[in-house]
Amino acid sequence: GKLKTNRKKMEPVTTTLSCPTTTDKVCFEEKNGILRIIYTNVERLNALSEEMYHQITDAINYASNAKTIKMVFLSAKGKYFSTGNDLSAFATPRSMEEIIQAVKDGGKTMVNFIDAFITCNKPIFAAINGPCFGVCFTTLALCDLVVCSESAFFVAPFAKVKQSPEGCSTYTFPRIFGNSLSSELLYLGKTLTAPEALKSHFVSAVIPDAEFEERAWKKAMEFSKIHPETLRKFKVMIRGYDIDTLLEVNRKEADTLMNIWLSPGYLEMMKSIVGVKSKL
């Protein structure tokens, strides 16, 4: 059935009482009132596995609940920020019953992940060190501050892999980029360069690669000097007005995506796409 929400306040999906444990794919650090979430799945170009989705969701929800956390800082190791959703799951041999259940579970996992960005009552700062694809691109529009390196670029290749937009991009992108550019980004998978992202006000700064990590963290530290209650109140005032709409958009996008995943012949097509990618 369709995914629904009855929540009306800026509050996390679940009450997470402790920060997730660091793994070989995601690192979590608490420093100076900042929760650092670092993507370390470098071998997979930081593609998001199901496990990573759950960990990041829990971490952002934890930040919302933790009085000691002032903000969330997203970053990544390696040359890529993230290639988005890990499509290798489509190549895993499964029965039809297992596939249907996996699609339903995957839809709920993605909704909860995006909900965490929408409902987080602390500022989310994303430092994009390199190329950024798919859901990791679209959810940046739900962050409060984004900076990127000179080598970064952004791609939402949904049409090319026969999927539909997510991350509330059908709502946020036209409001950020305007109708024409957002259509090129979502329909055609246009590559958004770092200078274009700055010109569009999608990012607030483009930083030279050699200085990126130091300068991005220095900017984050400016937030640590602000009283936590002030940050929280500002976040709720600035972001709270759209929360109900974004939660609804998230579910509508997820329903569309799940219908595509379960459509006849889609799984076989995705297996072929993933198979070609693995050979490159």
Side-chain angles (χ1 to χ4, degrees):
K2 293 185 177 181
L3 297 162
K4 300 179 180 180
T5 180
N6 294 316
R7 287 180 297 122
K8 295 293 182 180
K9 298 180 180 179
M10 179 166 271
E11 57 187 17
V13 181
T14 59
T15 301
T16 307
L17 299 178
S18 61
C19 187
T21 303
T22 291
T23 67
D24 59 339
K25 295 180 180 179
V26 193
C27 176
F28 303 98
E29 299 175 353
E30 292 185 46
K31 188 175 182 180
N32 299 111
I34 299 173
L35 175 61
R36 299 188 68 172
I37 303 175
I38 308 168
Y39 301 165
T40 56
N41 190 17
V42 178
E43 288 186 5
R44 298 287 302 169
L45 304 181
N46 292 322
L48 300 186
S49 65
E50 183 176 0
E51 178 189 17
M52 291 173 70
Y53 272 114
H54 288 296
Q55 290 174 314
I56 297 162
T57 300
D58 287 345
I60 295 175
N61 288 336
Y62 162 72
S64 276
N65 288 295
K67 293 181 179 180
T68 56
I69 300 299
K70 294 183 177 182
M71 71 175 297
V72 176
F73 183 81
L74 296 175
S75 62
K77 295 294 185 182
K79 294 183 178 180
Y80 280 69
F81 180 74
S82 177
T83 50
N85 193 28
D86 190 347
L87 299 177
S88 63
F90 283 99
T92 304
R94 298 176 179 178
S95 67
M96 185 53 66
E97 292 77 12
E98 289 174 326
I99 291 169
I100 292 173
Q101 188 58 51
V103 167
K104 291 179 178 179
D105 291 343
K108 291 177 182 178
T109 296
M110 182 169 285
V111 164
N112 289 338
F113 174 77
I114 296 165
D115 270 357
F117 281 83
I118 296 170
T119 62
C120 183
N121 57 24
K122 310 288 175 65
I124 301 177
F125 179 3
I128 311 304
N129 59 303
C132 181
F133 289 76
V135 68
C136 288
F137 172 20
T138 58
T139 49
L140 293 179
L142 302 173
C143 295
D144 302 283
L145 178 64
V146 183
V147 299
C148 73
S149 68
E150 288 181 335
S151 61
F153 59 84
F154 308 86
V155 186
F158 302 122
K160 293 180 181 178
V161 292
K162 304 295 190 295
Q163 300 201 51
S164 59
E166 28 68 344
C168 297
S169 56
T170 57
Y171 179 82
T172 59
F173 275 28
R175 285 158 180 78
I176 295 171
F177 300 109
N179 289 330
S180 294
L181 181 53
S182 64
S183 291
E184 286 200 53
L185 293 169
L186 294 176
Y187 285 96
L188 304 178
K190 169 185 166 59
T191 297
L192 184 75
T193 65
E196 288 173 328
L198 181 62
K199 185 178 180 180
S200 301
H201 305 293
F202 186 68
V203 303
S204 63
V206 176
I207 302 171
D209 289 17
E211 306 169 17
F212 181 72
E213 189 170 346
E214 179 182 356
R215 285 179 56 182
W217 181 245
K218 184 177 179 180
K219 175 65 68 175
M221 288 298 293
E222 292 181 26
F223 282 81
S224 70
K225 299 174 184 177
I226 302 173
H227 192 279
E229 188 61 17
T230 300
L231 284 174
R232 191 193 66 79
K233 286 181 177 178
F234 274 41
K235 173 64 183 270
V236 172
M237 286 191 294
I238 294 169
R239 287 285 188 170
Y241 301 108
D242 283 339
I243 186 169
D244 291 335
T245 299
L246 290 170
L247 291 170
E248 182 181 357
V249 170
N250 185 20
R251 280 148 183 77
K252 287 183 176 178
E253 289 179 346
D255 287 338
T256 300
L257 194 55
M258 284 192 289
N259 286 334
I260 291 173
W261 287 346
L262 292 172
S263 61
Y266 184 78
L267 179 65
E268 292 304 318
M269 182 202 68
M270 284 305 300
K271 284 183 178 180
S272 66
I273 290 175
V274 174
V276 169
K277 284 189 174 183
S278 65
K279 295 176 183 179
L280 295 178

